[in-house]
């Protein structure tokens, strides 16, 4: 994943939730060790704090949808974020 933030806007939790519920995906940037070092809303370039990405992933609200590079909302996430 080579997408970078074009806007520099860091999302609030509320906006992130709305974007995920609308079907947007999150795109991650990984370092050489495959650790996530950056995250943006795919196509929009809005920055998602890595800590927030990690929290949503740990809670099962998002899941891998494309080879560990893109993540989308899960059924559990859909129920919780509504």
């Amino acid at each position: 994943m080579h997408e970078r933030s074009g806007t520099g806007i860091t999302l609030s939790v509320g906006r992130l939730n709305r974007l995920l519920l609308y079907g947007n995906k999150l795109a991650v940037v990984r370092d050489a060790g495959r650790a996530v070092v950056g995250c943006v809303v795919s196509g929009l370039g809005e920055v998602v704090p890595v800590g927030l990405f990690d929290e949503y992933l740990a809670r099962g609200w998002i899941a891998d949808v494309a080879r560990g590079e893109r993540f989308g909302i899960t059924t559990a996430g859909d129920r919780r974020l509504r």
Side-chain angles (χ1 to χ4, degrees), residues 3-23:
E3 201 167 322
R4 301 284 181 195
S5 171
T7 64
I9 296 170
T10 300
L11 293 177
S12 67
V13 170
R15 178 150 170 81
L16 175 58
N17 292 353
R18 285 189 302 277
L19 290 172
L20 288 170
L21 288 168
Y22 292 151

Side-chain angles (χ1 to χ4, degrees), residues 55-69:
E55 180 181 341
Y56 278 41
L57 187 61
R59 292 177 182 261
W61 297 345
I62 58 173
D64 182 5
V65 296
R67 301 176 317 273
E69 303 293 329

Side-chain angles (χ1 to χ4, degrees), residues 42-71:
S42 186
L44 298 179
E46 294 183 49
V47 177
V48 177
V50 173
L52 192 55
F53 168 84
D54 289 340
E55 180 181 341
Y56 278 41
L57 187 61
R59 292 177 182 261
W61 297 345
I62 58 173
D64 182 5
V65 296
R67 301 176 317 273
E69 303 293 329
R70 294 201 194 283
F71 293 78

